Amino acid sequence: MGLAKTEMFTEIDQLIKTLNTETITVQRKAALQPLTDFIQGKVSKNQTIRLNFICTHNSRRSHLTQVWAQTMAYYFNIKNVFCYSGGTEATALFPMVAETLVNSGFKINPISKNENPVYSIKYADTEHPIIGFSKKLDDAFNPTSGFAAIMTCSQADGGCPFIAGAEKRIPITFEDPKAFDNTPQQAEKYTERSLQIATELYYIFSQINA
């Protein structure tokens, strides 16, 4: 396991230090284990790690998992990790997702403004930004082979039993914060889901022997 990088934005670094992996149940850890094993297998062979996080609309959970996975790889100094996201259909990155990430310390800037905006999402000044926008899982932006497909919602998990080009298909599903859209609990529930995702990805990357 590597050491945390000092270039990471302070607010994100401080948030990561508050995450408590003891909140993860034994059953949930068992669900996370296949992704840990995939990453460890690639690290042990000094191979590139490509992770494509997939949800139905590529608007909420798949973006949160993509961003936090890339961030945790950097935090634990796991090299050659490239995180992507996709959906069974393209919509748009939901604004509350971007707001939630900003509140966690990420710096987000729109690269293009249209019905499906493209965002630059940064966790450190010196690192390449994560490019966030909604796309289908087989979009040209995403890898076509040699990747793990992580199914982040039960609908995509059930509807996509086969992911073309995926080396491994791993279901790690999360409850959809969309259920709380336009309610007084919206911001709280998006933060709650983001922190769950951050905690579980922290746990996964903390297990890796680099």
Side-chain angles (χ1 to χ4, degrees), residues 9 12 101-102 104-109 119-125 129-130:
F9 295 139
I12 302 174
L101 291 170
V102 167
S104 297
F106 291 87
K107 292 185 180 177
I108 300 183
N109 291 299
Y119 297 92
S120 160
I121 305 167
K122 297 197 77 168
Y123 50 84
D125 268 329
I130 300 159

Side-chain angles (χ1 to χ4, degrees), residues 17-85:
K17 287 179 168 61
T18 70
L19 300 176
N20 179 13
T21 57
E22 293 190 8
T23 59
I24 307 172
T25 65
V26 172
Q27 294 88 341
R28 188 63 175 174
K29 286 179 179 178
L32 302 176
Q33 193 61 45
L35 181 53
T36 307
D37 293 342
F38 178 85
I39 296 168
Q40 185 63 65
K42 293 291 184 183
V43 169
S44 298
K45 295 174 184 173
N46 200 28
Q47 295 176 341
T48 299
I49 302 148
R50 297 181 184 88
L51 308 175
N52 193 0
F53 295 90
I54 296 167
C55 196
T56 305
H57 298 112
N58 190 209
S59 58
R60 294 170 175 81
R61 290 163 285 180
S62 46
H63 286 291
L64 289 170
T65 45
Q66 175 191 5
V67 169
W68 278 116
Q70 195 72 64
T71 302
M72 293 305 175
Y74 180 79
Y75 185 83
F76 286 105
N77 201 20
I78 310 298
K79 306 291 189 185
N80 300 316
V81 177
F82 299 93
C83 297
Y84 305 85
S85 67

Side-chain angles (χ1 to χ4, degrees), residues 123-194:
Y123 50 84
D125 268 329
T126 55
E127 293 301 301
H128 195 280
I130 300 159
I131 304 302
F133 67 101
S134 186
K135 70 202 84 66
K136 292 185 72 173
L137 58 94
D138 58 356
D139 188 275
F141 192 84
N142 288 340
T144 56
S145 63
F147 64 92
I150 299 97
M151 315 305 290
T152 65
C153 77
S154 54
Q155 187 178 348
D157 183 35
C160 300
F162 174 75
I163 304 294
E167 188 174 323
K168 191 165 183 65
R169 182 186 178 284
I170 304 169
I172 302 178
T173 61
F174 298 92
E175 292 295 320
D176 194 353
K178 180 182 180 180
F180 296 92
D181 286 359
N182 303 311
T183 74
Q185 301 152 287
Q186 177 174 303
E188 174 194 345
K189 291 298 181 180
Y190 273 79
T191 299
E192 183 182 294
R193 188 62 58 243
S194 179

Side-chain angles (χ1 to χ4, degrees), residues 8-20:
M8 178 174 279
F9 295 139
T10 303
E11 194 176 341
I12 302 174
D13 184 71
Q14 290 175 344
L15 183 151
I16 289 173
K17 287 179 168 61
T18 70
L19 300 176
N20 179 13

Side-chain angles (χ1 to χ4, degrees), residues 85-103:
S85 67
T88 53
E89 58 185 276
T91 55
L93 192 156
F94 192 65
M96 193 67 212
V97 170
E99 187 177 322
T100 301
L101 291 170
V102 167
N103 290 340

